[in-house]
Amino acid sequence: MPADPTSSYRAIENLIARYAELVDDGDFAGLGVLLADATFIGSGEPVRGCHAIEKMFQDTLIVYADGTPRTQHVTTNVAIEVNEQASTAVSRSYVTVLQALPGLPLQPIGGGRYHDRFERRNGQWCFVERRAGITHVGDVSHHLRQAAAQW
């Protein structure tokens, strides 16, 4: 029985949304699990594997008393292309990162694009690559640790 394309698109959209939720919740262990089979490519060296990805987020993002980075990742303009026969997919999307803190009004601190690759394994879609390209940078001094400030 062929796979349902609508179901595949929805599952991939949910993975993209889950990434944003986990970052904004400060759940870096959850990010490691979500991206366990993926390579994350950002401004530094590519990172692969559950624990390495978790550590990269812990080392990069400032977390506040509520356990979160006080951000909201807004993912828009999501375009997904699925190859059901090969059980693969790619997506492109925009990301806008907002942040608010006591004494820091809500503001955009970054914007860019995600380029993702997915595979269906054992009937479930999963990330195999996330490329995060941030091209518009605002005040990230309350978001990124000093060593990562070149976002």
Side-chain angles (χ1 to χ4, degrees):
M1 182 161 127
D4 172 19
T6 302
S7 174
S8 293
Y9 282 91
R10 179 47 100 197
I12 291 166
E13 287 175 331
N14 286 341
L15 288 171
I16 293 167
R18 186 71 182 134
Y19 172 89
E21 291 172 343
L22 290 168
V23 174
D24 294 337
D25 288 346
D27 185 351
F28 304 145
L31 280 167
V33 171
L34 181 72
L35 299 174
D37 295 324
T39 300
F40 183 90
I41 303 166
S43 61
E45 291 294 315
V47 180
R48 181 169 178 75
C50 182
H51 298 295
I53 288 172
E54 177 183 357
K55 182 177 181 342
M56 186 256 322
F57 279 97
Q58 288 173 338
D59 292 349
T60 303
L61 301 184
I62 298 169
V63 175
Y64 292 89
D66 67 354
T68 76
R70 305 284 305 195
T71 56
Q72 185 172 25
H73 285 66
V74 181
T75 309
T76 60
N77 298 42
V78 178
I80 300 170
E81 300 169 18
V82 177
N83 182 333
E84 290 292 351
Q85 290 181 332
S87 293
T88 61
V90 295
S91 74
R92 300 173 313 283
S93 55
Y94 290 172
V95 59
T96 303
V97 183
L98 305 169
Q99 187 176 41
L101 295 161
L104 180 73
L106 180 65
Q107 60 186 282
I109 61 168
R113 302 211 44 199
Y114 293 136
H115 293 269
D116 300 317
R117 289 189 310 112
F118 304 89
E119 288 181 5
R120 187 172 36 228
R121 297 178 179 166
N122 301 317
Q124 299 292 317
W125 285 99
C126 63
F127 278 99
V128 293
E129 183 177 275
R130 167 148 275 198
R131 289 182 180 267
I134 303 300
T135 54
H136 298 80
V137 180
D139 180 359
V140 294
S141 64
H142 302 283
H143 181 54
L144 299 178
R145 297 189 187 282
Q146 194 65 13
Q150 58 226 329
W151 195 22

